[in-house]
Amino acid sequence: MNLDMIQFDEKGLVPAIVQDAASKEVLTLAYMNKESLTKTIETKETWFYSRSREELWHKGETSGNTQTVTDLRYDCDQDAVLVLVKSEGPACHKGDYTCFSDSLLGNEVTPEQNRFAILNTLEEIIAKRDAERPEGAYTTYLFTEGVDKILKKVGEEASEVIIAAKNRDLEELTWESADLLFHLMVLLREQECSLDDVLDVLEKRHASE
């Protein structure tokens, strides 16, 4: 990235939108100056400029909730940057996965508007569990146990789907397919692979037929 292209404001700052690289959830809005943006590029972790303290700060320096940068982009006017990250813990200082947890309108996408909305919701919840690790949550247990446990569950659920289909048990097939999808999405999160990446492959395959 050529920093000379970035249009810093009169205070030498540029807004930085931080987004989860896998779930695509917007995590926070902060500000960078040229020095913090340079440090972000060099260290591959997010550095910001605190307007209240008037100093640089390294995300996660005290909390341990660092953000590993996977990509840095700028908008068409070159006066804002998009920072794609893999979070090690919550992004918000209140302990939430994202700083944007509340809605002024309370609007949600209903199944009638988008029949696959639950997949988006599930991906966000899984990302939230990965970041916050709430005690007692099953998803927390899977992430804590690690990839071998997750893979075991994916294998078990895939076997259950096969058995249900072989038995022509539609109700059981529905339940086991839901379990398989859930554990597969947990695996994708653990591997830092987004659902969008999978859908892109399907889209490309469809286009080539």
Side-chain angles (χ1 to χ4, degrees), residues 21 42 62 137 140 162 167 179 182:
E42 291 176 349
T62 56
T140 297
I162 293 172
N167 293 336
D179 287 343
F182 167 76

Side-chain angles (χ1 to χ4, degrees), residues 135-154:
E135 187 176 350
Y138 176 63
T139 313
T140 297
Y141 163 74
L142 291 175
F143 283 125
T144 302
E145 290 294 308
V147 67
D148 287 345
K149 183 65 175 181
I150 298 170
L151 289 172
K152 181 180 179 182
K153 291 300 298 182
V154 170

Side-chain angles (χ1 to χ4, degrees), residues 59-76:
K59 171 62 179 171
E61 185 174 6
T62 56
S63 67
N65 300 327
T66 57
Q67 296 171 336
T68 302
V69 177
T70 64
D71 198 6
L72 265 169
R73 304 173 187 175
Y74 52 88
D75 74 337
C76 55

Side-chain angles (χ1 to χ4, degrees), residues 1 5-7 14-15 17 73-82:
M1 179 182 289
M5 298 178 63
I6 303 301
Q7 303 298 312
V14 63
I17 303 163
R73 304 173 187 175
Y74 52 88
D75 74 337
C76 55
D77 294 323
Q78 302 170 347
D79 59 1
V81 294
L82 176 66

Side-chain angles (χ1 to χ4, degrees), residues 160-171:
E160 295 294 336
V161 167
I162 293 172
I163 294 171
K166 188 69 174 178
N167 293 336
R168 301 289 182 177
D169 189 330
L170 182 57
E171 181 178 3

